[in-house]
Amino acid sequence: MDKNMEVAEEQVHISVRNLVEFILRSGDIDNRVAGTDKDAMLLGGKMHRKIQRRMGADYHAEVPLKIEIPCNGFTLVIDGRADGIIENASGIVIDEIKGVMRDLEQIEEPVSVHLAQAKCYAYIYATQKNLDEIGVQMTYCNLETEDIRRFQSVYAYEDLKRWFLDVAGQYEKWARYQVRWKQKRNTSIKGIEFPFAYREGQKNLAASVYRTIARKKKLFIQAPTGVGKTMATVFPAVKAVGEGLGEKIFYLTAKTITRTVAWQAFDTLKEQALRMKVLVLTAKEKTCFCEETVCNPDACPYAKGHFDRVNDAVYELLTTSDEMSREILEEQAKKWNVCPYEMSLDVSNWVDAIICDYNYAFDPNAYLRRFFGEGNSGEYLFLIDEAHNLVERARTMYSADLYKEDVLAVKKKVKNTAPKLAKKLEECNKQFLALKRECEDCQILNSVSHVYLKLLNLVTEMDHFLEDCKDETLKEEVLEFYFKVRMFLYIHDRLDENYLIYSEITDDGRFRIHLFCVNPAANLKEYLDKGNSTIFFSATLLPIQYYKKLLSTGKEDYAVYAESPFDTKNRLLLIGNDVSTKYTKRGEDMYERYARYIRQTALAKRGNYIAFFPSYRFMENVCDAFMKLPGEQIPAVMQAPYMSEEEREIFLENFEENTEEGLVGFCVMGGIFSEGIDLTADRLIGVLIAGPGIPQVCRERELLRAYFDGQGISGYDYAYLYPGMNKVLQSAGRVIRTEEDEGLILLLDDRFLDYRYRKVFPREWKDFQICNLNSAAENVKNFWSAREASKTSGINPEIMRES
């Protein structure tokens, strides 16, 4: 290295807004405040621009400002955009605009953090222009009425300087911690290696993940169970962080069990002295110390004064422990008398990896605004596990509906105490009534903008009501409806070609308007674009083009098919061609045929089996037929709807013990036992899958079908076949979990022989055999005999394959 070259000094960046909101916050957590100003921020962009355009030639809008403050060993960079700078003969004024939903008469002075934001911009600008004094203007605008109220003041430069440097000085210790921790973390990352011997294809998989991150792209991975995809994604992501290709890993999943597996992967790397802070975000209801989750200082002692203490609690935790387990977080929260959930969110700012549900990244009602809110982005790496689940989850997240009956119910509750609100509700009800009269059953609508405008007026009136209401029970009921309306308005603002709008009369006679997100890819993109790179992976991401279309808008996304490391001789795949789950073929005879398939299989080789069915009713009918079969009874357990966590554990405990009799579990495809459970070795030796899992024909599925047909894509495949076959693949994945596992998969429906279904089979399923009720047991016996023979012969199966 040239001696004259200097290593660039580390920089720590923070926005003006994040700085003041972090350092200057104080007081209680109080959910009794409707929090409408936060929602107003989402709607305020248009109003900002409208106000800015009115201000004339002296007004300069959206002015970027930045200041660098030298600290010992690093530079603190504070930046942001001033909403407006007014320059005229009478002086210079910094304008900060805030859109609000509440009555402006209730704002007697600027909110302290709003004013602090404006003062920061004033100091930075005054420093740049060598000003002795500078004006600050707080502009509050009601988003419905467009009324404006302004507060103006003038500050001497020296006063601003003292104030600003005090705020920045309070942040300096946090910035210094950040710099020092990053150095320790990155040094430790350089020393770690892949913790296991690579399985077949696993090394290429890890390399593909690293290359994708380096190129800031998206990657779709179809990786059969047992490939070791969790470590094959976590390890290269950690390495990428050490190389400066990302700063925070978000491991996103839909299941609790997969969050545990991800945590274990990071823990395994820590055995090599990796220094990395990893946090699993747990839902508020599960972490709350109180019997009821009521977040206000009157009901919760941890809410009172929370913001006065939480920064000190977080700083102590970060500087004394690398471990961020739920137990450690709860212990720290109790020590400092703060809310454990809110403290965990603050801790998330400073950790290197966050393991959490999809909601925290993508759901408009639940996403972490500190990372994914308006104007926020970062060097994030997204690892999206069980990505097949994200399609339906995202559709739900980005859809919204409102019921006419809910409008009327709220109107009845407030008509005596809030006539103005009751009037607005009646206006909305009339619009719903008009649409209901036009709707015989279901009607596709081109627009509901007239409803949207009425709802905007309604929201403003509801804001006034919620601020004044003293009846807590009534307030809670109205608040619930308020959030539904807010969500409807928010989704309406996002409507595009990826949506269908329809009205319908539901089976129970209620009338609703539904904003239905058919393809969530564009909505997901908005959040994923806030990071550097995304890895989608699953054991069942087939066909991959289906998931690429519904999860990403990118045309240059990568895709990898990870080869299975398993010897196919360890697995028997049978297709029964003489049964069907089609509605036209269902009946007592068919249920008995399925029961006999299960019984013969279980008798051919004693052990633990799970039979998966397309619905509870079909499962119950077959189970009933199974119990009535003459001859020796085989023990059976059946999944029940809405099982508690304890009931699930009890159900799975049945598979822990192997008895001479064996065991058959009756379960539903797509349910809690069809994915995410780990029954290795002889805890499960076979699955029987009744039918291709095709969703029931319903209004929404038919709308999906018509929509994709209209796009020149097979609507049936997108609405029915692919979602159904995903359930099949997930169910089949329960039987082979490790390289040593042996077992059988019986696909029981003649439709599995149809090319449309077979084209979704994984590559490793090409060796299937066809059977019927008369031959299935013989196939099963022959398979297990061959497995026993290979073990007792002492011949290495690998050598046999090569020869």
Side-chain angles (χ1 to χ4, degrees), residues 572-586:
L572 173 67
L573 179 63
L574 290 175
I575 298 179
N577 66 357
D578 56 346
V579 283
S580 175
T581 57
K582 283 183 178 177
Y583 286 97
T584 53
K585 296 187 177 180
R586 294 185 184 185

Side-chain angles (χ1 to χ4, degrees), residues 265-464:
F266 283 103
D267 255 10
T268 300
L269 294 177
K270 286 182 181 181
E271 292 172 11
Q272 300 181 49
L274 171 68
R275 301 288 302 277
M276 211 165 192
K277 297 185 193 292
V278 182
L279 173 71
V280 178
L281 279 180
T282 308
K284 182 189 292 187
E285 290 72 23
K286 291 184 178 179
T287 58
C288 183
F289 293 147
C290 302
E291 286 187 19
E292 286 187 70
T293 309
V294 182
C295 304
N296 68 64
D298 294 338
C300 174
Y302 302 97
K304 189 167 184 61
H306 167 90
F307 293 113
D308 299 329
R309 301 181 296 273
V310 70
N311 282 6
D312 289 336
V314 171
Y315 189 78
E316 181 186 76
L317 179 63
L318 293 172
T319 53
T320 56
S321 174
D322 286 5
E323 291 302 317
M324 301 288 144
S325 68
R326 178 174 170 180
E327 294 74 23
I328 288 172
L329 286 168
E330 288 180 354
E331 185 182 326
Q332 185 74 352
K334 282 180 178 173
K335 176 182 175 181
W336 285 88
N337 202 44
V338 294
C339 169
Y341 177 73
E342 290 295 332
M343 189 191 78
S344 73
L345 295 185
D346 285 336
V347 170
S348 72
N349 285 325
W350 306 96
V351 300
D352 309 297
I354 299 173
I355 302 169
C356 60
D357 188 271
Y358 300 148
N359 288 352
Y360 288 103
F362 305 129
D363 191 332
N365 287 316
Y367 70 83
L368 299 171
R369 283 177 169 77
R370 62 194 67 212
F371 301 118
F372 308 113
E374 187 77 26
N376 290 341
S377 62
E379 304 285 302
Y380 312 141
L381 306 179
F382 297 105
L383 306 181
I384 302 181
D385 195 2
E386 304 291 355
H388 62 276
N389 285 308
L390 187 54
V391 173
E392 291 301 333
R393 284 284 296 276
R395 276 187 179 138
T396 303
M397 289 175 196
Y398 302 119
S399 298
D401 59 10
L402 279 178
Y403 286 84
K404 176 185 181 298
E405 289 71 18
D406 289 348
V407 178
L408 269 180
V410 175
K411 179 195 163 190
K412 287 176 183 176
K413 286 170 184 170
V414 302
K415 64 179 181 181
N416 296 326
T417 55
K420 279 188 177 180
L421 177 56
K423 183 182 177 185
K424 296 289 184 188
L425 287 160
E426 178 55 29
E427 289 173 4
C428 291
N429 181 58
K430 284 179 179 176
Q431 289 189 324
F432 273 74
L433 184 60
L435 287 170
K436 183 178 181 180
R437 285 170 178 157
E438 296 172 9
C439 178
E440 293 183 9
D441 181 33
C442 175
Q443 183 178 22
I444 302 292
L445 303 170
N446 292 323
S447 169
V448 286
S449 57
H450 60 303
V451 177
Y452 172 84
L453 292 172
K454 288 291 183 187
L455 290 172
L456 274 178
N457 293 334
L458 173 62
V459 160
T460 304
E461 198 55 52
M462 289 171 83
D463 280 326
H464 298 157

Side-chain angles (χ1 to χ4, degrees), residues 58-63 65 82-87 92-95 125:
D58 295 337
Y59 194 93
H60 307 282
E62 301 297 325
V63 180
L65 294 171
D83 290 330
I85 298 178
I86 306 165
E87 294 182 338
I92 294 175
V93 177
I94 301 293
D95 187 29
Y125 195 75

